[in-house]
Amino acid sequence: MADENLKVLSALDVAKTQWYHFTAIVIAGMGFFTDAYDLFCISLVTKMLGRIYYHVEGSSKPGSLPPNVSAAVNGVALCGTLAGQLFFGWLGDKLGRKKVYGVTLMLMCICSIASGLSFGRDAKSVMATLCFFRFWLGFGIGGDYPLSATIMSEYANKKTRGAFIAAVFAMQGFGILAGGIFAMIASAAFQARFKAPAYEIDPIASTVPEADYLWRIILMVGALPALLTFCWRLKMPETARYTALVAKNAKQAAADMSKILQVDIEAEQQKVEQIAQKQKGYGLFSREFLGRHGLHLLGTTSTWFLLDIAYYSQNLFQKDIFSAIGWIPAAKTMNAIQEVFTIARAQTLIALCSTVPGYWFTVALIDVLGRFAIQLIGFFFMTVFMFALAIPYNHWTKPDNRIGFVVMYSLTFFFANFGPNATTFVVPAEIFPARLRSTCHGISAAAGKLGAIIGAFGFLYLAQNQDPKKADAGYPAGIGVKNSLIVLGVISLLGLLFTFLVPEAKGKSLEDLSGENEDNREGD
């Protein structure tokens, strides 16, 4: 097998875990840190924006964003991410991973800071500028998905490749925790400096003018860790697999990897040219690709799509759960800054107990159990817990049973992260040919984001109470939380079934998985 492969690629496949692997994880993971930080903080920020810009005189409840504005603020970043995944995924295969890698990070950092500087004299103009910058923030984040996954898979050895790619994705866990911790520190500092009564005591005074600075600071700080890694990104050499197999420059690939691995690697330019002649240069829309990888692409896109519908819609039930167990008191009993602190604390606890451990369980076990087994286990238990929450839903709503409800809810998050949320990111970076790897990962990730949009907004309407009078303000009647959970259980079950289209990649060379070595054998 090693004879069929280039020496530089074989050296990467069998390389021991070294310092450069960990450096690559941090550099590649910082985009996901910013992504998770932003997604976490925007839910806190929208609460505060409602109080600041949409206060209704004489209302018994604090102001909140109208449904269309809330959907725009939250959804525009997801739309940007979808577009970025497709565009930068394609560009990463055309120009090389390194050439566009710095662009995505800089776009994220600039737009993250600009989001906090959203300007205007009234609510409409502030929301419009915020949405504009959040779209381009999402566009940069989207580009990071295919590029980071592809770079990490092409740098890693075959023994621990799954753990390294999963570790990049697991940086989201640190982003969530950093978002929660910073939001708590900042709101506690503002609360100590700017005292304010609860909304029910004095609606106007409960939102101090300085609160307008707090949400801006929270949004902008997320860009700083990513900004620190920008120079490292520019110094990273192009991956040897792209340089040798796509750009067909064996000398450069050998020189780059000799420096990184600190061993002498022979440049095999003649062999690269022979491989180029033997390999079938089929495109994405060819019959050849459809025959070889069509079902694989269907498997990666469908599982990511179904997962994200379930994963993003779960967030909708957080406010009901937190309120039910008494972690978050009624909004009118708090001032604006106090509400940010309380919600941040509750969400950080959920992340600490279920989300973050799930990520790192995957990192620890993905190269032991394999991608297929972890994805199957994850979807299976997501299905079980969704139905276990849904069928006896009335039982869980009683005060005596609320702790059990939180445990079950946390376990669905745990098995999403120790399961398909990580594996759907890892597998598309391993099973496609080098010249199409970034594009196919981008397509798979974009399918996931389409699922996220459906999960976040379709279920926002679907989960409304069946009684129109009990639905949230501005929303029509839906099918209720119980029926929504049943639908999510069915979606998780479909994800389990589509997993059977995805091949196991554990312990195999990227060239064996993609069929590139097979082409070499056929050409002999």
Side-chain angles (χ1 to χ4, degrees):
M1 216 174 281
D3 294 335
E4 295 150 7
N5 219 345
L6 290 166
K7 286 179 182 175
V8 65
L9 305 187
S10 297
L12 281 167
D13 277 343
V14 298
K16 290 181 180 177
T17 300
Q18 297 175 35
W19 181 247
Y20 86 88
H21 285 121
F22 297 107
T23 308
I25 287 168
V26 173
I27 296 168
M30 271 306 148
F32 292 96
F33 178 99
T34 302
D35 176 22
Y37 180 100
D38 175 72
L39 271 176
F40 180 95
C41 288
I42 198 65
S43 61
L44 307 176
V45 166
T46 49
K47 291 273 187 188
M48 185 164 271
L49 289 172
R51 286 191 183 237
I52 296 169
Y53 294 106
Y54 291 91
H55 172 70
V56 178
E57 197 66 48
S59 173
S60 60
K61 291 180 180 179
S64 62
L65 297 184
N68 61 329
V69 176
S70 179
V73 170
N74 288 293
V76 74
L78 294 175
C79 294
T81 303
L82 192 155
Q85 286 163 337
L86 292 172
F87 177 71
F88 284 110
W90 168 77
L91 209 60
D93 283 333
K94 288 294 174 191
L95 302 181
R97 291 61 159 129
K98 175 187 163 61
K99 281 185 181 174
V100 287
Y101 204 33
V103 176
T104 60
L105 192 76
M106 188 47 68
L107 192 58
M108 270 188 275
C109 294
I110 290 170
C111 293
S112 197
I113 292 166
S115 294
L117 299 174
S118 298
F119 49 84
R121 291 174 180 239
D122 57 14
K124 198 172 181 179
S125 52
V126 170
M127 295 304 136
T129 50
L130 178 62
C131 286
F132 174 80
F133 291 124
R134 281 185 59 71
F135 175 85
W136 291 108
L137 168 65
F139 195 70
I141 287 169
D144 235 49
Y145 273 73
L147 294 172
S148 289
T150 302
I151 285 170
M152 200 65 238
S153 78
E154 293 181 345
Y155 263 114
N157 60 54
K158 61 185 178 183
K159 188 180 176 185
T160 56
R161 186 178 60 236
F164 289 153
I165 305 171
V168 168
F169 195 61
M171 291 295 281
Q172 286 191 331
F174 291 125
I176 291 166
L177 290 180
I181 291 165
F182 182 75
M184 284 193 285
I185 292 169
S187 54
F190 269 71
Q191 178 77 349
R193 181 73 180 82
F194 309 107
K195 304 286 185 187
Y199 181 88
E200 61 187 356
I201 295 170
D202 189 336
I204 302 294
S206 69
T207 306
V208 293
E210 290 80 8
D212 198 39
Y213 294 111
L214 178 60
W215 70 267
R216 296 173 186 274
I217 291 167
I218 290 172
L219 280 186
M220 289 193 282
V221 164
L224 297 181
L227 206 54
L228 295 174
T229 63
F230 181 69
C231 291
W232 285 356
R233 277 204 183 192
L234 297 184
K235 289 176 185 174
M236 279 180 88
E238 181 57 86
T239 71
R241 285 183 160 91
Y242 183 86
T243 307
L245 298 176
V246 184
K248 300 178 177 53
N249 187 339
K251 189 177 178 183
Q252 187 64 53
D256 288 342
M257 292 308 110
S258 294
K259 193 175 176 183
I260 283 177
L261 297 173
Q262 296 179 332
V263 292
D264 288 328
I265 299 172
E266 183 187 342
E268 303 170 284
Q269 187 60 41
Q270 192 177 353
K271 194 167 182 181
V272 164
E273 286 164 10
Q274 286 171 357
I275 289 171
Q277 287 169 5
K278 291 174 193 172
Q279 281 184 356
K280 299 168 183 176
Y282 54 84
L284 182 66
F285 300 106
S286 64
R287 282 187 180 179
E288 185 81 19
F289 178 86
L290 192 65
R292 287 174 172 232
H293 298 291
L295 285 177
H296 295 163
L297 189 58
L298 176 62
T300 58
T301 51
S302 59
T303 50
W304 207 336
F305 172 75
L306 292 163
L307 162 80
D308 273 9
I309 293 176
Y311 190 78
Y312 278 78
S313 59
Q314 279 179 314
N315 293 319
L316 299 175
F317 310 122
Q318 280 198 8
K319 62 178 173 56
D320 301 321
I321 290 159
F322 293 152
S323 300
I325 61 172
W327 281 4
I328 299 179
K332 65 181 181 180
T333 63
M334 299 180 281
N335 62 46
I337 294 169
Q338 203 177 350
E339 187 176 33
V340 169
F341 179 87
T342 310
I343 297 171
R345 182 180 60 188
Q347 291 188 352
T348 305
L349 281 170
I350 284 280
L352 207 53
C353 296
S354 62
T355 310
V356 176
Y359 281 128
W360 292 101
F361 263 77
T362 303
V363 173
L365 296 173
I366 193 166
D367 288 311
V368 178
L369 299 177
R371 292 84 166 127
F372 179 80
I374 288 178
Q375 188 159 308
L376 218 56
I377 291 165
F379 270 129
F380 174 77
F381 281 107
M382 282 175 71
T383 306
V384 168
F385 289 120
M386 290 288 192
F387 285 134
L389 285 170
I391 295 164
Y393 183 70
N394 294 333
H395 166 81
W396 296 119
T397 55
K398 292 172 184 171
D400 293 344
N401 304 322
R402 61 194 184 187
I403 298 300
F405 189 77
V406 172
V407 170
M408 300 278 271
Y409 176 77
S410 297
L411 284 168
T412 59
F413 263 114
F414 174 81
F415 280 105
N417 290 308
F418 175 48
N421 195 34
T423 54
T424 52
F425 175 80
V426 173
V427 175
E430 300 181 298
I431 62 175
F432 298 106
R435 67 184 178 280
L436 297 170
R437 188 170 289 137
S438 178
T439 303
C440 290
H441 194 285
I443 292 167
S444 303
K449 272 296 166 279
L450 183 61
I453 292 166
I454 292 168
F457 303 108
F459 277 82
L460 194 59
Y461 287 87
L462 209 61
Q464 292 299 322
N465 200 292
Q466 289 169 298
D467 182 351
K469 292 175 184 175
K470 292 182 181 177
D472 291 345
Y475 291 94
I479 62 171
V481 173
K482 177 178 177 172
N483 292 331
S484 295
L485 285 167
I486 290 171
V487 172
L488 293 176
V490 172
I491 286 168
S492 299
L493 184 59
L494 286 172
L496 185 148
L497 297 175
F498 276 101
T499 296
F500 287 95
L501 295 176
V502 182
E504 178 55 75
K506 183 180 81 167
K508 295 176 184 174
S509 158
L510 292 177
E511 288 66 45
D512 285 334
L513 284 163
S514 64
E516 286 161 302
N517 276 346
E518 193 183 316
D519 287 347
N520 297 347
R521 284 193 289 270
E522 286 174 9
D524 288 334

